Amino acid sequence: MLTPAAPGPTPRHAADGPAGSAGYVYLIATVAALGGLLFGFDTAIINGALVFLKKDFGLTDAQTELAASAILFGAVAGAAVAGWLTDRYGRRRLLFGAAMLFTLSALAAAIPRTLTEFVVARLAGGLAIGVASLLVPLYIAEIAPARIRGKLVTLNQLAIVTGILLAYVASYYLADLGLASWRWMFASAAAPSLLFMLTLLLVPESPRWLLGRGREAEALGTLTRLNGPVAAAAEAEEIQAALVAERGEDANLYQPRLRQPLRIAVVLAVLQQITGINTILYYGSIIFTEYNGQSASSAIGANALIGGINFAGTVVALFVIDRVGRKPLLLFASGGMALALGALVVALQLHAPGTLLLGLIMLYVACFAVGLGPGVWVVITEIFPNAVRGRAASLATVALWIACTLISYTFLSLVKVAGLSGAFGLYAVLSAFTFFFVWRAVPETKGRTLEEIERSWQ
């Protein structure tokens, strides 16, 4: 658990002098969050495309799982290298590289002639997603004032679910183009990718990364524009003090005081995925067409409705996470998910109407969106020291993507063995376990600076 913070420089607030530009803070966070939008769009577009891709290429269930999961294997690799690369080369430069890769992979996924070519294109897109999934929330957390850090990091999650919703809507309208409509679905991601690349020219490098590289003038300039001159000077002093302390410990990722935050971050990251959310986001169309007897267009329409619920729940999280706190939202989410999935298992056993099944799935998604979706990313970006934040967050993000890949790659096989009710029953048990883990192990971090949180682990 977090212990009371050790004495250290006390940050001043903008009220002690001229305030920084709130508009500039939100501009930077919004531009960075476009990476989250692409993350959501690229991962979710497979949901609608998969129905047509499977028919066009004559895929077996195993090949369908490979087509759906290829992007996730790439995401594991991207997240694995992103931490080291961003600590070495900076946040902004690596985000720009990810934007370029998003654009190229979107076009490449639209033109393959074989499953192998498609998988390679999706692997490349996965590399970009792995980088963006780590860097976007990390970068936002490093530029955000403590009082609104949870809201701004949640803005990334809002962008992710917006991307998911846009993917569902695009799939719905493009489905009328026939068997080859999946090609247009993937190509449509190129436009927002180019927008992300261009708008990144408007944002600065992370001031915490700059201070770690001895570039004090650049860092202070950015902090001043964000928080005002008085608060900027105090924050720069606090960051410098933390950096000195970290250098004294050689910034060792596996030092004893970091074992607990590493354990919390990795376990939370894994639990966010193995509670089953991406089986709905990736295989929703397959579930509704092959196991609930709906047409392809109506199944994609149901996905769009689920995407809307996901979006609405994240909007709620955006406004309450800095008021209620991270831990209460995580508890609410995991408990609600366990109850919704438990009820879904019963409904499946009783062969309940499709509308009831859809309603319970929507309740499950809503609970995830309010808490477990944004809350895990916020915690991961908050609890590590500056010197190891990139590598530590990378470790947690790699664990997250490995778990996501495992769940997505085995879902159809699990359904064959245990049925839909057995699969969702397993996710219900894991949701209940998540509730107890959060209750016992996860600290509350709202309203504290990153340096205050860092000192509390000593």
Side-chain angles (χ1 to χ4, degrees), residues 83 88 102 112 118 188 208 240 264 286 296 327 332 352 356 411 423 440:
R88 185 176 180 86
F102 270 125
F118 176 78
S188 63
R208 284 177 168 81
Q240 290 280 34
I264 290 170
I286 298 293
K327 187 168 184 172
F332 169 81
L356 177 59
F411 176 67
R440 294 295 301 272

Side-chain angles (χ1 to χ4, degrees), residues 71-81 126-127 130 397-398 400-403 405:
I71 199 168
L72 306 178
F73 289 105
V76 172
V81 300
L127 287 172
T397 308
V398 167
L400 183 148
W401 283 115
I402 290 174
T405 304

